Amino acid sequence: MSENTQILISGGGVAGLTAACLFGSNGFDVVCVDPAPPITDRDTDGADLRSTAFLQPSVHVLERAGVWHQLSNYATALQTMQIVDAGEDGQPRNARAFDASDISELPFGWNLPNWLIRRELVKRLEALTNVDFRPGVATQRMLARSSGAKVWLSNGEQIQADLVIAADGRGSPLRQAAGIEVKTKRYGQKAMAFAVTHPIPHDNVSTEIHRTGGPFTLVPLPDYEGVPSSAVVWMEDGPKAQDLFALDDAALNAAMSERSCHMFGPLALASKRSIWPIISQVASRFSDRRLALVAEAAHVVPPIGAQGLNMSLADLQSLLELSGKHPLGSDDMLDAYDKERRRNVALRVAGIDLLNRTSQSEADWVRELRSWGIGVIHDAKPVRTTLMNMGLGLR
């Protein structure tokens, strides 16, 4: 059986589902496939317990996707980002707060749990009659021609598409089949993600605490069972992270309370846990004939500065804008996409790599430089506001 569509999206994670909503909401016929149904419940095994801080430019993408009005009902505003340098004694040595009011009337962004984002995206897809979401179906192979792409699916169907979007993850089968290489850096770190409760309110402040091994980040969430709550991403050297991940709840509560410098009082685990290795990875090119790589198929970064998924939504925004300037899926469109996005991503990956290596370092001089640098960046207002705008993608 063969059918035609304008866009086929391979991958039903947050990026793939957002792509389906975005292009569907803008009048394109879309088929989106993924081997596994999305998990849309917080307490189901395999749920994505990470959270995403959607920065200001990403909210515009979500509005065009027709989903922000629903997501905003559950979002927690991030008005302030606090950067803390902690000594090896577990006490804060230097801390600075970066307030969004310096550059905007809006918060830096809004934080939501990834499982909930998936839930609302799936609801939006159900309302789009021009989008066909097929969970439990995978792409098997693709043949690209000047007239379009032919894609074979795991259920035996074949689809003809003008454009194929690979949102199929850091190990992207479509990228590999296209022969596109990646450059990967491994840091020897792992990151744990989970939700916590704490007695001291977060007051819409996202807090990133740097100490040897990697940053410990608390991002505000809505209250959980009447108690202030935050999403935690804790980066550590791999063996230590694995040992921490294996602790029982009481021991983990004690360890993470100490690692947070007790800034929010004793932390208590309020969800299941997940753990994954930290890498940075960039594809040698972001497109091939009839194929666009987006999100982790194109770029992977450590979870610092809320850049990962926001970079992915910038990919989608670029593709949508270029679809109005060039024939859909044409070489001109995809060459322009590759040139625009790969340059931008390279700069961000380099910056995040530097921040992570600085945070991870055990060298005394690097730790002193890190502490000094936080103050310098914050206290010089032109530097502070420029870097804040760059972090949001506004410059």
Side-chain angles (χ1 to χ4, degrees), residues 72-343:
S72 62
N73 293 327
Y74 307 99
T76 303
L78 305 179
Q79 181 63 34
T80 305
M81 293 187 179
Q82 181 174 218
I83 309 296
V84 179
D85 180 66
E88 296 310 298
D89 60 359
Q91 297 301 311
R93 299 193 307 168
N94 197 0
R96 292 292 192 277
F98 297 78
D99 196 295
S101 62
D102 274 353
I103 59 171
S104 174
E105 295 180 356
L106 298 172
F108 286 115
W110 293 263
N111 195 51
L112 294 109
N114 283 8
W115 63 266
L116 187 147
I117 297 169
R118 281 183 168 87
R119 185 188 73 191
E120 297 306 312
L121 289 169
V122 170
K123 287 182 182 178
R124 173 60 180 159
L125 291 182
E126 291 171 350
L128 291 169
T129 58
N130 55 326
V131 178
D132 186 357
F133 178 42
R134 303 180 188 179
V137 177
T139 54
Q140 290 191 318
R141 63 190 179 99
M142 168 184 165
L143 175 63
R145 296 170 292 195
S146 59
S147 59
K150 186 175 183 179
V151 180
W152 285 261
L153 303 179
S154 60
N155 61 1
E157 296 178 340
Q158 298 172 19
I159 293 185
Q160 303 277 347
D162 296 319
L163 172 65
V164 176
I165 297 177
D168 50 353
R170 60 183 64 185
S172 171
L174 283 175
R175 184 191 67 224
Q176 294 181 37
I180 299 175
E181 297 181 349
V182 294
K183 182 178 181 181
T184 304
K185 291 183 181 179
R186 304 187 185 280
Y187 299 93
Q189 294 167 296
K190 291 187 176 180
M192 295 177 288
F194 44 81
V196 299
T197 56
H198 40 82
I200 299 174
H202 50 61
D203 293 329
N204 297 108
V205 177
S206 178
T207 301
E208 195 168 274
I209 304 168
H210 291 261
R211 198 172 82 181
T212 299
F216 181 100
T217 306
L218 298 106
V219 188
L221 290 173
D223 288 359
Y224 180 65
E225 296 182 346
V227 182
S229 180
S230 295
V232 169
V233 176
W234 185 355
M235 294 169 57
E236 273 289 0
D237 292 332
K240 183 174 181 180
Q242 202 65 56
D243 289 344
L244 289 163
F245 187 74
L247 294 175
D248 62 33
D249 288 0
L252 181 62
N253 288 347
M256 62 186 175
S257 296
E258 186 275 334
R259 182 62 182 80
S260 69
C261 302
H262 301 278
M263 294 182 67
F264 295 92
L267 305 183
L269 189 67
S271 74
K272 295 181 179 181
R273 321 170 194 183
S274 62
I275 188 169
W276 71 97
I278 296 300
I279 65 170
S280 66
Q281 180 172 285
V282 182
S284 60
R285 62 183 192 273
F286 285 10
S287 68
D288 199 50
R289 173 166 278 189
R290 296 289 169 182
L291 177 68
L293 308 183
V294 303
E296 290 199 338
H299 45 76
V300 181
V301 293
I304 295 174
Q307 293 298 308
L309 190 55
N310 288 280
M311 290 165 59
S312 303
L313 296 194
D315 296 342
L316 304 181
Q317 174 74 10
S318 174
L319 280 175
L320 182 63
E321 290 178 352
L322 289 168
S323 71
K325 300 176 182 177
H326 305 281
L328 183 66
S330 65
D331 290 346
D332 287 344
M333 174 187 171
L334 292 171
D335 288 346
Y337 169 72
D338 172 64
K339 182 178 180 180
E340 175 186 316
R341 289 303 301 147
R342 190 150 49 90
R343 180 174 56 235

Side-chain angles (χ1 to χ4, degrees), residues 341-355:
R341 289 303 301 147
R342 190 150 49 90
R343 180 174 56 235
N344 181 281
V345 165
L347 291 171
R348 290 186 180 275
V349 170
I352 294 167
D353 174 75
L354 177 62
L355 287 171

